[in-house]
Structure formats: C-alpha cells, structure tokens
Amino acid sequence: MSMYPGHRGMGVAPPANPNGSRQNELLEGIRAEFESHQRQIEGYEHQIQAQVQEMQMIREKVYQMEQQHVQLKQKYEDEINLLRRQLETRGGGPPGPMNPPPQHAGPSQQPPPQIGNMGGGGVFNGILSGQGGQGGLAPPPHPPQEQQQPPHMPPAPPGLQQGPPPPPPPPSQQPPFQQQYQGPAPGGFPSQPPQSTASPGPGSKRGQPIGRPPAGGPATPQINTPVPYNGPGQSPQVPTHPTPDHTRMVQQQQQQHQPVPISSQSNALSDLDPERLPSHIKKVKDDWWAIFNQAVPRVLDVDLVHTLQHESVVCCVRFSADGKFVATGCNRSAQIYDVQTGDKVCILQDESIDLNGDLYIRSVCFSPDGQYLATGAEDKLIRVWDIKNRQIRNTFAGHEQDIYSLDFARDGRTIASGSGDRTVRLWDIETGLNTATLTIEDGVTTVAISPDAKYVAAGSLDKSVRVWDVKTGLLLERLEGPEGHKDSVYSVAFSPNSRDLVSGSLDKTIKMWELAAPRNHNQMPGGIMKPVGRCIRTFEGHRDFVLSVALTPDNEWVLSGSKDRGVQFWDPRTGHTQLMLQGHKNSVISVAPSPASGNSGGWFATGSGDMRARIWSYSRIRH
C-alpha cells in the first residue's frame, strides 16, 4: 500500500515545434550571409579608397609634371628668342617656316562661372554651352577625351559628349580672354601672344553639373592654351580703336627696322617697340621694361623690388594700411609677404574645406589696424582671418554665387562684398550680421568703400557704376549713359577725397567720375534718381581689357592693369599716360598702390596670370 494518496502520473510533454527551429536556422543563415556581405563591402570600400588616393597622387604628379614642362618650355623659348634676336642682329633673316615664333601653352583648367544676365542672354551662357555667343571672359569648353582627365582639365559640356567640338566663333565673338594680343618683342620677352586667361572655376566639386556652372561674375584669369588670333583683342561690344592705316604703318616700319614715330596725341605706348626707341624714353631690364611718354615731361621712374612666385594664378593683391605687408589671393590660400624683405610671413588656408578641385581666392583686404585679413572665394563665403593666430574670426555666408570683390571700411568693422548673385552686401564683423543687401540687375564684379566710410560703389556687368549711402542703403548715383562705359565694368576705386572715383572696363578705357554734387538732393519725388555724377575724363591707351584700377594715396596718379599685360600710370589732371610698364607674361589682373606712398613716390604691387605677384617702386625724378 502506497504511503502517498492517489498520485496522478505526469502527462507526456508536447512535441517540439519544427517550424520554430526552421525559422531560427533561416535567420542564422541570413545573419551569416549579411555579415559576409558586410565584410565584402568593407573590403571593397577599402580598395576603392586606396585606388582613389592612388589616383589623386597620380593626378597631382601629372599636374606637377605639366607645370615643370611649362616652365622648361618657357625657358627654352626664351633662349631660342634670344638666339634668334642675336642672329637677326648679325644679319640673319626673320623667322620662317623652319623657325616659327614660339607658342606657349599652359595646362588647361576648369571653365569659370558664367556671367551676364541670368536669362539666356548672358555673356557666358553661349560660350559655356558651346554656342559661341557673345564674348566673355571664359574659353569655350574643350572637346571630350577618351582618357580620364586630371581635375584641372575641363570635360566637354552637356550635349557635346559624343560629337566633335563646335567650330570656333568669329574673331568678334571669340571669348575676350582667349583673343590674343600680338605685341612687339622687347628685350627679354618672347614675341608671342599672351596666354589665355580664364577662371579655373569651381567645376563639379560643389555639385554643379560638369561644364555648365551657374551664372555669376567675372572670370579669374589663369594660364591656359592660347588660340592663335591675328589682331588686337577686342571687346565683344566695342570696335577696336586703332585705325587700319596706323596699324599697317607700325607693322611695316617694324619689319623694315625703322624707328616708329611717337604721336604727341597718343597714349598708345603699347604700339611701340622698346628695341627701336631711344634710351632716354625707355628702361629695359632682364625680364621687364618700361616706356615713358615722350609727349609729356618725364617725372617718374620705376624699379622692380621683389618677385613673389606662386603655384597658381594670382587673382588679387592688397597692401596693409601701414604699407608693411602685402597680401595675395591664389588657389586655396591667401598669402602675406613682408614688403621690405619679400619674405612670406604666413599662409592662410582653411583646412576644413574639401581638398578636391580648385578654390580661388578672388579678393583680399586688410582691416585698417592690420589685425585681420578678409578673403572672398568661389565657395560663396567670406572669411575674416585673425592674422596673428592664423585662425578664422568670422565666416559670413549669404551670397548665392562666387564672391569677386571685398573692401574693408576705415571704421574697422564694416566689410562690403560683391558677387555674381547681383548683390552688394555689407557685413559687421563685431556683430557677425549682414547689415544691408543692395540688389542690382546684373552680376557685381567690383566694390569699393569711400575713405570717409560714407559710400559704397560697385561696378557691374551692365556697364554701370552705382554709389549707395552706407547708412541708409539708398542708391545715390548711377553712372552710365552716353559718357559712360560701353562694356562691363571690372574695377572701381575712390579717390582719397571720397568725392571722385575711377572705373576700368572691358571697353579698354578708364573713366574718372566727379561725385561732388550734393548727394542729398539727387532723388526726386517718387523715388526717381536725379543724375548728378558726371564723367570728367576718359583715359584711352590700353590695347585690351582694363581689369584693375587704383589711385595713389596722394591722388597724383591713376594706376591701371590690363589684359594687354601692361600697367600704366595716368595723370588724372590731363588724361595723359606717364609710362607703360611691361613686367608680366600674362594679364595683369590686379594692381594696388601702397597706402604708405607719398608725393616723392612709393610702392605698388601687381598680380598676374603668370603665377607671379611683383612689388615695384616708383619715384619722382628730381630735375
């Protein structure tokens, strides 16, 4: 008999669910397969990254080789030209079919942003789309190539990938920076057209369609492959000024080795060959020369002080207020040099930006106290650098296209900026705010704040110069019309008295404007502006586009830099040129006098597409 009361036996356990086990097996299999694929993906990504790095190294090496090739070729061409001149001096004939004049070609680079009206009629719209169109500052796109190109080589524009490149436009419609100026062959310079100059442009590095960047502003000149062009470069909207008879006479006399007579009524010193001029009206050095206008008393002399070699096009130059330093803007960095020694003091480069592609610094300017340097670039940002600490103090965002010009007001806190997005903006570095936005009808190429900090002027692609009141933002002047420029305005500068300004244009002229009329009475009821400014002088003499203008601090001289590679000193009282300086082998993109200059002379700087900035001295001759 059991000691336990009625015991109920344990029931049989339910059988295991075969479906659950199967699901677990499948999940495990999927997990294992996923992990395997993940490892493969990581391996592929690692391989791709390694290949990208290797390709980048190859591109950099190819670019370096191209630069070395250009420099070596230029050296050989200089030597060949020297030997050719020596041969001609000894009785040898001019270059023939077996001895052609050299053609220098540099590495091609990305086309620039389009400029002009935002619609279909802009200056660059036709060029960048391969249609020819009106002339602008960009070369037509290059035909596609089978092999992969380095990052600085532009691909063909959309629609032309499979077909041949379009035929070149007629000379009157060729891109102006690709029209070649065939100048004389002075000592130390090869007889060759200047290299084509056009912006490298942002390309596709910021998500833009390749070959068709946005419309905006002027191009940054660069070294590029020249296109042979017989005749002086001409503005697409302005006929060439030299008459055919005068040009033919100069060419015939040069071929016959006869001196070219100097016209007392002409400022066209570029027509003269220094090798055929008397010594008292020229100054010839190893790689630069100057011609002095015989029609006016010679009162100035010039000399080269320093040559500042760069690794890319020098887009802009600017002195500090005390004249001790000069800043340059080039690809990806701004650089500051000691004026006395020529030594590089520092390099300011934003290391946080993408290292792929080009990023040209289009404009630089010092704060009045010399503590800060503002830079404007193709990435639409303004950076204000603390020079001592090499750090960015302010970053201003707001422009929708490339920034082409900056100026610092003498109050030490206001910056003006001009962009291809058709706006001039004012910024306060203390508050970090955009204090004013001034909108116009076309791209802004240049801005300047008056020395008294009351006015801001801007030049535009629409051929006009505008002047606003800084405090109120009211438009005070619009300088245009029959006496105005006939083509885009690329540079403006106030006189030291804040009452006058000068402007340089693609119509190859400089104009001086008088703004002395009362500016508080130039607006009639209804907001209609009453014109009060007037053009008091037009300076003519450059053979090609005027890209930069400035006035010396004593208001004694107007300086201009041109695509004809020349720098000229003009007397603002008479309109006569005092001298023409040839010191670069490409367009002179930027000129700047030192604020420390005085009545007896001083320094000025030039920046060029030949990848050099130069510091010069000018001095008044004591008779």
Side-chain angles (χ1 to χ4, degrees):
M1 182 176 180
S2 172
M3 62 180 295
Y4 300 102
H7 174 69
R8 291 181 297 176
M10 299 290 293
V12 180
N17 185 1
N19 293 333
S21 300
R22 181 60 177 165
Q23 289 178 352
N24 292 336
E25 292 177 0
L26 291 175
L27 289 175
E28 288 295 333
I30 293 172
R31 183 180 298 107
E33 185 176 357
F34 175 79
E35 292 176 352
S36 175
H37 282 294
Q38 187 68 25
R39 287 192 295 270
Q40 291 180 2
I41 291 172
E42 292 176 355
Y44 290 149
E45 289 179 347
H46 180 73
Q47 294 177 11
I48 292 172
Q49 186 65 28
Q51 291 176 358
V52 168
Q53 293 176 356
E54 183 178 359
M55 182 64 68
Q56 185 64 29
M57 291 176 61
I58 293 173
R59 288 175 175 174
E60 292 176 356
K61 289 180 180 179
V62 170
Y63 182 74
Q64 292 173 1
M65 292 173 64
E66 288 178 344
Q67 296 296 323
Q68 293 173 0
H69 170 74
V70 169
Q71 296 173 2
L72 186 62
K73 185 176 181 181
Q74 183 64 46
K75 178 182 177 181
Y76 286 150
E77 288 176 352
D78 291 343
E79 293 177 355
I80 290 172
N81 277 279
L82 177 61
L83 294 174
R84 184 180 292 115
R85 287 193 295 271
Q86 293 176 355
L87 181 61
E88 292 177 3
T89 303
R90 296 175 183 175
M98 299 300 293
N99 191 20
Q103 293 291 334
H104 174 64
S108 300
Q109 301 191 6
Q110 286 281 11
Q114 304 172 25
I115 67 173
N117 298 324
M118 302 299 278
V123 176
F124 286 103
N125 293 344
I127 295 172
L128 293 180
S129 61
Q131 300 171 357
Q134 291 183 338
L137 290 183
H142 295 275
Q145 298 183 3
E146 295 297 330
Q147 298 181 353
Q148 185 176 6
Q149 298 174 333
H152 57 277
M153 298 288 288
L160 296 179
Q161 300 292 345
Q162 303 299 328
S172 63
Q173 292 184 342
Q174 285 205 11
F177 264 118
Q178 209 160 319
Q179 298 175 6
Q180 302 301 315
Y181 162 58
Q182 182 68 41
F189 277 84
S191 176
Q192 62 179 26
Q195 302 156 348
S196 173
T197 53
S199 171
S204 60
K205 65 180 179 290
R206 292 189 294 276
Q208 301 295 344
I210 294 178
R212 197 182 294 273
T220 301
Q222 71 174 37
I223 295 179
N224 209 326
T225 305
V227 174
Y229 175 68
N230 298 321
Q234 68 180 47
S235 169
Q237 303 180 32
V238 182
T240 52
H241 296 296
T243 62
D245 292 340
H246 172 69
T247 304
R248 189 178 302 112
M249 177 191 69
V250 172
Q251 293 174 349
Q252 291 174 353
Q253 289 176 335
Q254 288 180 351
Q255 292 174 357
Q256 299 171 3
H257 298 277
Q258 296 179 0
V260 180
I262 301 174
S263 171
S264 61
Q265 304 298 323
S266 175
N267 284 328
L269 301 184
S270 298
D271 292 338
L272 307 178
D273 184 349
E275 290 188 344
R276 298 177 175 88
L277 295 176
S279 60
H280 68 279
I281 62 170
K282 69 179 180 180
K283 186 171 186 177
V284 180
K285 297 295 183 179
D286 291 340
D287 64 346
W288 65 272
W289 49 273
I291 295 178
F292 302 92
N293 191 355
Q294 195 178 29
V296 298
R298 178 181 171 183
V299 295
L300 285 183
D301 191 19
V302 292
D303 268 303
L304 176 63
V305 180
H306 299 297
T307 297
L308 313 175
Q309 191 67 43
H310 290 65
E311 295 181 356
S312 68
V313 173
V314 180
C315 302
C316 50
V317 292
R318 203 70 169 266
F319 281 91
S320 59
D322 58 10
K324 295 181 179 180
F325 302 98
V326 65
T328 64
C330 56
N331 189 17
R332 311 194 68 83
S333 70
Q335 303 179 18
I336 300 178
Y337 295 83
D338 186 293
V339 172
Q340 289 285 352
T341 64
D343 294 334
K344 187 184 297 184
V345 176
C346 71
I347 299 176
L348 302 176
Q349 181 171 343
D350 189 350
E351 302 295 344
S352 66
I353 58 178
D354 186 5
L355 297 179
N356 295 321
D358 294 329
L359 182 64
Y360 276 80
I361 308 299
R362 301 291 187 91
S363 184
V364 295
C365 60
F366 284 94
S367 62
D369 59 9
Q371 294 185 36
Y372 310 118
L373 183 75
T375 64
E378 294 178 327
D379 61 358
K380 313 168 192 175
L381 297 179
I382 301 167
R383 297 171 176 84
V384 181
W385 292 85
D386 185 316
I387 298 174
K388 182 178 179 181
N389 297 322
R390 312 288 201 273
Q391 294 181 349
I392 297 176
R393 182 185 190 275
N394 302 86
T395 300
F396 296 121
H399 281 297
E400 297 177 358
Q401 292 190 24
D402 298 8
I403 296 165
Y404 298 107
S405 184
L406 296 175
D407 200 13
F408 230 120
R410 292 193 178 179
D411 62 7
R413 58 185 298 173
T414 303
I415 295 175
S417 60
S419 167
D421 64 6
R422 308 177 181 180
T423 65
V424 174
R425 293 175 183 258
L426 301 179
W427 312 84
D428 189 322
I429 68 169
E430 296 298 330
T431 63
L433 298 177
N434 177 192
T435 58
T437 300
L438 312 170
T439 303
I440 65 172
E441 293 83 7
D442 213 333
V444 178
T445 58
T446 174
V447 295
I449 298 177
S450 61
D452 60 11
K454 294 181 179 179
Y455 311 104
V456 58
S460 171
L461 298 172
D462 64 6
K463 315 172 191 177
S464 300
V465 177
R466 294 170 175 82
V467 181
W468 292 269
D469 185 291
V470 169
K471 290 186 177 180
T472 65
L474 291 177
L475 180 62
L476 304 177
E477 309 260 12
R478 182 164 178 167
L479 308 173
E480 57 184 3
E483 62 180 10
H485 286 294
K486 303 301 187 292
D487 208 334
S488 301
V489 178
Y490 261 48
S491 184
V492 294
F494 276 98
S495 67
N497 61 21
S498 298
R499 296 193 302 271
D500 307 311
L501 63 80
V502 292
S503 57
S505 168
L506 301 191
D507 65 10
K508 310 174 190 175
T509 70
I510 302 112
K511 290 183 180 289
M512 175 166 277
W513 305 87
E514 183 181 64
L515 309 175
R519 299 181 191 171
N520 56 345
H521 299 118
N522 63 342
Q523 204 161 23
M524 296 183 292
I528 301 175
M529 189 178 56
K530 180 167 58 179
V532 294
R534 65 188 184 98
C535 177
I536 58 176
R537 189 153 289 107
T538 298
F539 307 85
E540 296 182 280
H542 276 296
R543 291 287 301 273
D544 219 320
F545 305 148
V546 178
L547 303 177
S548 183
V549 294
L551 285 124
T552 56
D554 57 6
N555 211 26
E556 287 291 310
W557 303 102
V558 174
L559 275 67
S560 60
S562 168
K563 182 180 174 282
D564 64 16
R565 303 183 291 180
V567 175
Q568 296 203 33
F569 275 68
W570 308 83
D571 187 332
R573 294 165 292 276
T574 65
H576 289 300
T577 183
Q578 169 69 197
L579 64 89
M580 188 268 296
L581 170 67
Q582 285 276 346
H584 289 282
K585 297 182 180 180
N586 206 315
S587 302
V588 178
I589 308 168
S590 181
V591 296
S594 170
S597 303
N599 292 332
S600 60
W603 285 317
F604 66 99
T606 55
S608 170
D610 64 5
M611 300 192 292
R612 294 189 300 181
R614 290 188 137 179
I615 300 175
W616 309 81
S617 68
Y618 70 96
S619 57
R620 186 171 288 273
I621 298 175
R622 299 182 182 274
H623 294 284

